[in-house]
Amino acid sequence: MKQIDYKSLFESGKKYLLNFSEITNEILNKQLEFPARDKPKTKEELFYSFLDCAQNKRDMPNSIGDIDALKKILYNFNPEKVNNNYANWEILFDKIKKENTPPGRMVKSNNYNYWVIYSKSIISISRYLSRFKTINDFNNYVNQFISNTPDTRIGLPLILQEELFGFGFALACDFLKENISPDFVKPDTHIKNIFINLNLSDAGSTDFQVFRDVIKFAAIIKETPYTVDKLFWLIGSGTFYDS
């Protein structure tokens, strides 16, 4: 079997996107660059970013609405205060229902209700973040997982999946990729389909294996995993949301 030229494949992907008259080098490069400006600089910003990601699925944003409306109830998005003042998700749920008017229905007895799910996510996130005294403590913790071994890096989204209610592996990867570090990727449908069909991953590969393969691809061509992930995601989705 002919060996795949990863660098040529990457450059071909860029050329494909630049064939569209609306896409310029400036627009493409902006999309491929990790949004460092969005990286949380305080624990409050980190908590907010987690909360924003937690409702990023299906029609959940339409039910939850603007999370800034929760600012007072969540003590200006202070995870320690949330953790100390809400013993469980039910208390938080009742507080939101009493003092806020969210767009979606709040049905406490329904485990599939978006507000039940989101309240559980908020409490689990606050408890998780309360373990870190400062944002630097959290960043140092993350850096322990970032090494030349994808099997080490994959450990962090696996931990978040277990620690945070409502976070599956892919959502945890998405949070890390978009908010924390360009060294992570999200093995979503577009990435998996492209990597499998180009024989960059084996047929039937799991999210875990595709995660490793994207990181391997990035290391070979000396690009960040974020850039590789975003290029193939743009090819698959066609969504240039920053433009």
Side-chain angles (χ1 to χ4, degrees):
M1 182 185 299
K2 183 179 179 181
Q3 187 173 5
I4 300 173
D5 185 339
Y6 284 18
K7 187 64 176 178
S8 295
L9 189 59
F10 180 81
E11 293 300 327
S12 294
K14 292 175 69 174
K15 289 178 181 178
Y16 166 75
L17 291 174
L18 290 171
N19 278 333
F20 294 93
S21 59
E22 301 90 342
I23 308 303
T24 64
N25 270 303
E26 182 181 4
I27 290 174
L28 180 57
N29 289 336
K30 182 181 179 182
Q31 294 279 174
L32 298 181
E33 183 180 354
F34 174 71
R37 65 188 181 280
D38 296 333
K39 185 174 181 177
K41 299 175 181 60
T42 65
K43 279 188 66 179
E44 288 76 15
E45 289 182 3
L46 180 61
F47 189 25
Y48 186 96
S49 295
F50 266 116
L51 296 180
D52 186 45
C53 185
Q55 52 90 50
N56 185 23
K57 44 192 170 185
R58 301 188 189 91
D59 296 323
M60 200 169 183
N62 295 327
S63 182
I64 302 303
D66 185 2
I67 61 176
D68 284 316
L70 301 174
K71 184 175 182 179
K72 181 179 178 181
I73 295 173
L74 299 181
Y75 301 96
N76 293 321
F77 303 107
N78 184 302
E80 283 81 14
K81 289 184 178 180
V82 171
N83 186 45
N84 292 334
N85 285 278
Y86 299 110
N88 52 56
W89 71 267
E90 291 96 337
I91 296 174
L92 174 61
F93 183 97
D94 292 340
K95 182 82 167 179
I96 294 172
K97 190 171 184 178
K98 179 181 178 181
E99 298 190 11
N100 193 26
T101 308
R105 295 175 64 237
M106 299 186 72
V107 184
K108 194 174 182 180
S109 60
N110 183 358
N111 288 330
Y112 297 100
N113 179 262
Y114 280 141
W115 271 105
V116 170
I117 295 171
Y118 197 55
S119 297
K120 291 178 179 179
S121 293
I122 293 172
I123 294 301
S124 66
I125 294 168
S126 70
R127 288 176 178 170
Y128 177 73
L129 291 182
S130 293
R131 302 176 189 174
F132 306 97
K133 290 184 178 181
T134 66
I135 187 69
N136 287 334
D137 288 338
F138 178 79
N139 289 334
N140 290 335
Y141 172 75
V142 171
N143 289 336
Q144 296 178 50
F145 293 89
I146 301 174
S147 68
N148 293 324
T149 307
D151 285 344
T152 301
R153 200 172 311 173
I154 205 172
L156 184 53
L158 287 173
I159 289 174
L160 294 183
Q161 173 183 315
E162 294 299 318
E163 296 277 5
L164 308 180
F165 187 88
F167 276 70
F169 179 76
L171 189 61
C173 288
D174 192 43
F175 171 79
L176 293 168
K177 173 178 72 76
E178 294 294 336
N179 297 279
I180 304 302
S181 169
D183 292 299
F184 291 91
V185 301
K186 178 189 178 184
D188 72 355
T189 301
H190 299 297
I191 305 300
K192 289 178 68 175
N193 285 342
I194 290 174
F195 263 65
I196 289 173
N197 281 291
L198 291 179
N199 295 317
L200 299 170
S201 292
D202 294 331
S205 289
T206 63
D207 288 352
F208 305 149
Q209 186 58 49
V210 173
F211 180 100
R212 297 185 183 101
D213 290 337
V214 177
I215 290 176
K216 173 187 173 183
F217 187 106
I220 291 174
I221 67 171
K222 294 181 172 54
E223 295 282 354
T224 66
Y226 178 92
T227 296
V228 172
D229 175 293
K230 190 53 64 77
L231 176 72
F232 288 114
W233 183 83
L234 289 170
I235 291 172
S237 71
T239 305
F240 281 73
Y241 55 82
D242 273 345
S243 305

